[in-house]
Amino acid sequence: MNNPEDAAVAAPPIVADPKKAGLPLWACALAIVALGSIAYSDSFQGPFLFDDLEFIDPSAGRRPWPPLHAVGLLPSRPLIGLSFALNYAISGFSVWSYHALNLVVHLLAALALFGVVRRILLSPRLRERFERSSTMLALAVALVWVVHPVTTQSVTYMIQRCESMMGLFYLTTLYCAVRGMAAERRAGRWYVASILTCAAGMLSKEVMVTAPMMVLLCDWLFHPASLRESLRRRRGLYLGLASTWVVLAVAGILAPVNKTAGFGTKGMTPWLYFKSEFAVIVHYLRISVWPDNLVLDYAWPPATSLAQTVPYAIVVGALVVATAAALIKRKPIGFFGAWFFGILSLTSTVMPFADLAFEHRMYLPLAGVAGFAVLGAYALAERVFTERRDVARKAGLALLTVSVGLLTVTTLRRNLDYLSDLVMWTDVVSKRPENGRAHANLGVSLAQRQRLEEALAHFYVSLKYRPYVAQNQHNTGLALFELGRPREAGPFLVEALRLDPKLTVGHYDLGRVLASLGELDVASFHFSEALNIDPRHADSLLEMGRVREKQHRDQEALDWYASALRLRPDWSEALARQAVVLATAQEPGLRDAAEALRLAERAVSLTGGNSGVELDALASVYAETGDFAKAIESARTAVALASDSGDTKLSEEIRGRLRRYEEQNAVKPQASKRSR
């Protein structure tokens, strides 16, 4: 008994048998679900962020079956596309169902992690030491992981359901495999379930590619048989798991080329990416232990000097060497390192990605860190408290309670950043002030709230770091135009189209700028270009109608407005413009006062009488029909609404028309008196 390892094995466990302690498996599951739900209880109101909306197709949501229609949203990850289509079918653009499904997936993944850890601790090579404490240790690992704030980016940020769903299938694949390995009978059922869930993971995200190898490693490390013997005895399992790589390959072939990942990624070589990832991996480890300053979008800069590479490479290299040494000696502790580095191998080695760092990539590797921390603390306590097991139990429970409590509070706090796009991008900019993309997104959030001067300042900063991005040039030009500075806006919009000639909104907004400057023919050209790129761009159809209206080509204007209304039948603005043309048309036979009044009143009713644009049109129709009293009343309301919305340009235009109505109304009684 001189060997300390033998003493540790022979000594009674610090954690008592959970069944004898009155903690059955269902109670463990309930604790995981309850604490996970509490940690994410404030996440359900978070809006769509960043690229969430790119993967929501209303037409797929209305027809989630057959699945082939819905999975087209994400061809390389069809199960994710199908899940978003089902969410849209349930709640449209209301976010609650998206968050609910994300949380359910996360909780199921935590339950699967609990099962995996418990079954591994009960495996032949670990059973003697961990049998009586396996359930409590597995519970501790699952609790730390399910409430850890690093997982928020895979749970609260909706599109990263890709990561959490893949994580669920990854853990379930491993769980079913280890259950089959331990089964005395009917192991085949577990193996079939493992293969099916592995295939599902391949259809969720490409990181799943490492799962078959992780199952084999688990078999070799935790069972006494040799690698050759394991492959022979479980030939069907491993052939089935290997066949799921074909599923992944087919999904990848069917998917469009991804310009942000792969060896063709612009501006990122494999070597540059590889040496830059050392610092990223160290950062991942740091936030796993001390999860402060979490960031939605790091825009991590590539390493350009030895100082940005060597210190981190030493740390990572030491961990890799320690992992390799443990695996060579077939020590179970090597599984933690293999899990961490193996799962990160796709995103943190030589295959370049446009973004060097994202927290969602740590969703599964974090489980390895949590497992190492919990089991490491347990092993340390075994050695320190060899005579005072009761003290060790109490200390361990207190440490777990404090850790889970602090992590839960931090996660609740982090979820608050997701409750508003403005709050989130303000948070990112404060932590990563050189992130040009974050400045651009913060500018968009501010512009949507009519805080245009602030938005413009962030757009200028974004251009400083990313002048080559067409959308940044476009955002700057659009903000200047909305601020009433069209001549300054033009060059930015022209540059945006130089960078991306197929930018639909670039042509559309440049057309609006030119139209405001009176260059109607050139404006028509850009609206036509926008429609050539996207024939269903309804805003360009409306603006073409406006241009023809200004050119007094009334029939063409009506035709363009009619085309816009075919795409959006209840578009109040298009109805209002139709009404004005019908009331004021100069072309013979086009005037129709009754129809104009009907359209204008319908436009106002569609907005509930709360839009200055439609009320302004109604006032124009009333004036053309000679009812100046109603015209004045509608125009005054329109001025108030435009002023309240902050649209000073529109309010001034309506005031000018209001003065004319008042003048004409004053002249009308005099004319009536003279006629008598």
Side-chain angles (χ1 to χ4, degrees), residues 75-78 202-203 243-256:
S76 65
R77 302 170 186 179
M202 299 292 181
L203 296 175
S243 70
T244 63
W245 285 328
V246 177
V247 175
L248 179 61
V250 171
I253 291 170
L254 295 176

Side-chain angles (χ1 to χ4, degrees), residues 407-474:
L407 290 172
T408 301
V409 170
T410 307
T411 296
L412 286 165
R413 174 62 189 84
R414 177 57 176 163
N415 283 330
L416 296 179
D417 294 331
Y418 284 88
L419 292 182
S420 162
D421 58 324
L422 182 60
V423 171
M424 176 56 79
W425 291 117
T426 301
D427 175 76
V428 176
V429 165
S430 69
K431 295 170 181 174
R432 310 291 289 191
E434 296 183 357
N435 184 342
R437 185 165 59 193
H439 281 284
N441 284 312
L442 178 55
V444 170
S445 297
L446 290 165
Q448 289 171 343
R449 292 163 174 81
Q450 297 302 310
R451 294 163 61 177
L452 293 173
E453 292 287 359
E454 296 173 75
L456 184 60
H458 286 286
F459 290 146
Y460 282 140
V461 176
S462 179
L463 281 178
K464 174 184 174 182
Y465 295 108
R466 306 176 84 210
Y468 50 84
V469 177
Q471 193 63 53
N472 288 352
Q473 298 284 350
H474 172 264

Side-chain angles (χ1 to χ4, degrees), residues 485-531:
R485 296 152 64 180
R487 294 193 183 280
E488 294 177 62
F492 290 100
L493 295 172
V494 169
E495 177 64 9
L497 290 174
R498 187 191 69 80
L499 292 168
D500 183 3
K502 297 296 184 181
L503 187 64
T504 304
V505 292
H507 285 288
Y508 166 72
D509 285 318
L510 182 55
R512 289 203 299 153
V513 167
L514 293 167
S516 72
L517 295 173
E519 299 180 39
L520 299 180
D521 289 333
V522 188
S524 295
F525 167 78
H526 283 287
F527 293 137
S528 296
E529 284 296 294
L531 290 167

Side-chain angles (χ1 to χ4, degrees), residues 535-554:
R536 297 181 62 82
H537 195 253
D539 289 319
S540 291
L541 293 170
L542 181 72
E543 292 303 323
M544 283 293 285
R546 285 182 182 276
V547 168
R548 296 298 179 251
E549 189 179 338
K550 290 177 182 179
Q551 293 173 328
H552 304 293
R553 294 156 66 174
D554 298 324

Side-chain angles (χ1 to χ4, degrees), residues 146-314:
V146 77
V147 302
H148 201 291
V150 168
T151 64
T152 53
Q153 195 172 107
S154 301
V155 183
T156 314
Y157 177 25
M158 283 172 276
I159 189 57
Q160 287 313 326
R161 173 184 305 170
C162 300
E163 197 77 31
S164 58
M165 277 188 68
M166 181 277 298
L168 169 60
F169 292 129
Y170 200 116
L171 291 166
T172 307
T173 296
L174 193 57
Y175 175 75
C176 292
V178 296
R179 281 297 304 267
M181 294 171 192
E184 296 180 2
R185 297 183 305 168
R186 299 178 177 177
R189 296 185 178 183
W190 288 108
Y191 294 156
V192 169
S194 180
I195 294 166
L196 291 176
T197 53
C198 191
M202 299 292 181
L203 296 175
S204 300
K205 194 168 185 180
E206 295 81 352
V207 177
M208 191 72 187
V209 69
T210 60
M213 299 305 297
M214 203 61 65
V215 172
L216 180 60
L217 180 64
C218 186
D219 191 355
W220 177 68
L221 277 179
F222 303 122
H223 293 80
S226 67
L227 183 62
R228 178 178 297 179
E229 179 64 15
S230 294
L231 288 170
R232 186 190 65 80
R233 290 175 58 187
R234 289 183 263 277
R235 184 187 305 113
L237 170 65
Y238 293 115
L239 286 175
L241 291 174
S243 70
T244 63
W245 285 328
V246 177
V247 175
L248 179 61
V250 171
I253 291 170
L254 295 176
V257 175
N258 187 345
K259 297 180 180 179
T260 64
F263 293 102
T265 302
K266 186 177 180 180
M268 186 68 68
T269 65
W271 171 242
L272 179 60
Y273 190 83
F274 177 72
K275 68 179 185 178
S276 301
E277 281 299 299
F278 290 119
V280 173
I281 291 172
V282 172
H283 176 74
Y284 286 159
L285 288 169
R286 190 193 70 77
I287 61 174
S288 297
V289 177
W290 193 262
D292 65 332
N293 287 326
L294 302 182
V295 180
L296 177 68
D297 179 22
Y298 282 92
W300 196 286
T304 56
S305 67
L306 290 176
Q308 294 174 315
T309 303
V310 173
Y312 306 104
I314 292 172

Side-chain angles (χ1 to χ4, degrees), residues 16-96:
D17 184 351
K19 294 182 179 179
K20 294 181 180 179
L23 192 63
L25 294 180
W26 66 263
C28 295
L30 182 61
I32 293 168
V33 171
L35 285 172
S37 299
I38 291 171
Y40 285 93
S41 60
D42 60 347
S43 69
F44 278 60
Q45 299 303 315
F48 297 108
L49 283 173
F50 215 174
D51 52 355
D52 278 337
L53 286 172
E54 291 182 25
F55 305 102
I56 300 175
D57 179 3
S59 62
R62 287 191 290 269
R63 279 201 304 125
W65 196 265
L68 287 177
H69 179 69
V71 299
L73 294 169
L74 280 162
S76 65
R77 302 170 186 179
L79 290 185
I80 307 301
L82 179 59
S83 73
F84 272 92
L86 291 172
N87 276 134
Y88 186 86
I90 293 169
S91 66
F93 288 109
S94 179
V95 297
W96 68 267

